[in-house]
Amino acid sequence: MLPRLESGGLRCGKDFFLAYSPEREDPGRKDHSTQTIPKLVGGVDPASGEIAVALYRKAIRQVIPVSTAEVAEAAKLLENIYRSVNIALVNEMKVVLSAMGIDIWEVISAASTKPFGFQPFYPGPGLGGHCIPIDPYYLTWKAREVGLPTRFIELAGEVNHAMPKYVVQRTVLALNDRGKAVKGSKILVLGLAYKPDVDDVRESPSFELIEQLEELGAAVSYNDPHVPQTHRMRKYDLQMTSVELTAESLKKYDCVLIATHHSAYDWQMIADHSTLIVDTRNALKR
């Protein structure tokens, strides 16, 4: 943006003012709003930073000025990379501990009793949204310009992007244990959104789960109370519609795959009337 604005002869800090403030939204949260989330602001020059801070203070309770726009952007990247790396850690722990017959959810619950030095993260079928699956790679791209690797970022991405395939493998094995081939099986994916109680499907791992299962010959349907039908996306165009979720309809499926734990779901009803459930979210813990 800066080169484009200056290409006509305008000067930053005099003719126009330019600053950067990263978004810190978490769709679906009820305990924070845009007004209550602290706002980072960094100007391209000091005057731009001061003006941007004054502007945001009209609407945001706490505005935190930083020295430059680059610091503000790097802070946003660190926030996202922190989550990506820690989610990758528990996803890898999930795979390893499952092979050992150890319940990862109980392990996380036990570790969470430590009053310091630990923050719980939880495994899942993959990563969704824009911030965590995509944004960390901006730093990877930029790091190459200065000749440096970003090994943590890339390794975390490998682990997280492998989770849909792992979930599909576990689904195939679960069907096999019941004498059922995945080819020709009817599978219902619960949840298309990438996180609970929202309609945001950007980069949702549910799409990859559906695609991989269909490639293996399964007849896949989905239900999501927040996503009545799919639309064309960056990588997918499934052209699917959410099916009805009832006690009778559940009995028609050979497997129910829980991908998103929406609070609207009646988990007891789902547990009572499903033939087989693969739960990637610990939704049936009760």
Side-chain angles (χ1 to χ4, degrees):
M1 182 177 287
L2 181 62
R4 182 173 295 181
L5 291 171
E6 290 186 331
S7 63
L10 300 176
R11 287 184 295 170
C12 185
K14 181 178 180 181
D15 302 307
F16 68 91
F17 302 92
L18 183 62
Y20 177 76
S21 179
E23 62 87 14
R24 282 172 148 180
E25 296 296 326
D26 188 8
R29 284 193 82 102
K30 304 299 182 185
D31 55 341
H32 289 286
S33 66
T34 300
Q35 187 180 46
T36 64
I37 299 171
K39 193 72 170 159
L40 297 178
V41 181
V44 171
D45 59 80
S48 294
E50 291 174 9
I51 289 173
V53 166
L55 174 65
Y56 277 116
R57 280 180 174 157
K58 296 294 184 180
I60 308 298
R61 290 182 187 175
Q62 183 182 11
V63 179
I64 303 170
V66 296
S67 58
T68 64
E70 289 84 356
V71 170
E73 173 68 355
K76 170 65 174 177
L77 289 171
L78 178 58
E79 293 169 10
N80 291 341
I81 293 164
Y82 172 80
R83 288 188 55 78
S84 175
V85 168
N86 281 280
I87 291 170
L89 173 62
V90 294
N91 277 334
E92 188 167 73
M93 288 284 287
K94 161 68 178 176
V95 174
V96 172
L97 294 182
S98 291
M100 297 178 178
I102 301 173
D103 184 353
I104 180 64
W105 303 99
E106 185 179 0
V107 170
I108 294 172
S109 179
S112 297
T113 62
K114 186 178 180 181
F116 52 86
F118 182 81
Q119 179 183 354
F121 289 81
Y122 301 97
L127 289 182
H130 188 276
C131 290
I132 303 176
I134 296 177
D135 286 2
Y137 291 104
Y138 294 160
L139 185 58
T140 295
W141 165 72
K142 196 68 178 177
R144 291 195 179 107
E145 292 185 356
V146 294
L148 291 174
T150 51
R151 288 175 288 181
F152 265 113
I153 296 172
E154 294 174 60
L155 179 59
E158 289 177 18
V159 173
N160 290 327
H161 287 299
M163 289 309 291
K165 184 176 181 179
Y166 170 75
V167 170
V168 169
Q169 290 172 343
R170 292 298 297 266
T171 303
V172 171
L173 290 173
L175 286 165
N176 187 64
D177 285 344
R178 287 152 182 80
K180 184 74 177 177
V182 66
K183 185 175 183 178
S185 292
K186 294 182 178 180
I187 298 176
L188 175 64
V189 173
L190 289 185
L192 203 64
Y194 81 89
K195 64 179 296 185
D197 303 333
V198 302
D199 62 357
D200 193 341
V201 297
R202 290 176 300 169
E203 309 301 319
S204 172
S206 295
F207 287 82
E208 190 167 353
L209 293 173
I210 291 171
E211 182 180 71
Q212 289 189 24
L213 288 167
E214 287 184 337
E215 287 176 352
L216 292 174
V220 186
S221 303
Y222 88 90
N223 171 273
D224 192 310
H226 302 282
V227 187
Q229 60 187 23
T230 65
H231 60 271
R232 182 183 295 276
M233 298 172 61
R234 186 169 65 92
K235 294 192 295 184
Y236 300 100
D237 187 15
L238 298 182
Q239 299 183 6
M240 297 176 69
T241 300
S242 178
V243 300
E244 186 180 17
L245 185 66
T246 65
E248 288 302 314
S249 66
L250 283 168
K251 295 174 183 177
K252 299 176 183 178
Y253 293 97
D254 300 297
C255 178
V256 173
L257 173 55
I258 299 173
T260 314
H261 47 308
H262 292 304
S263 60
Y265 283 134
D266 182 343
W267 297 116
Q268 189 62 59
M269 187 270 288
I270 292 167
D272 289 342
H273 299 284
S274 299
T275 302
L276 168 66
I277 299 176
V278 175
D279 183 2
T280 72
R281 299 291 190 176
N282 204 28
L284 302 181
K285 59 185 176 182
R286 294 183 179 87

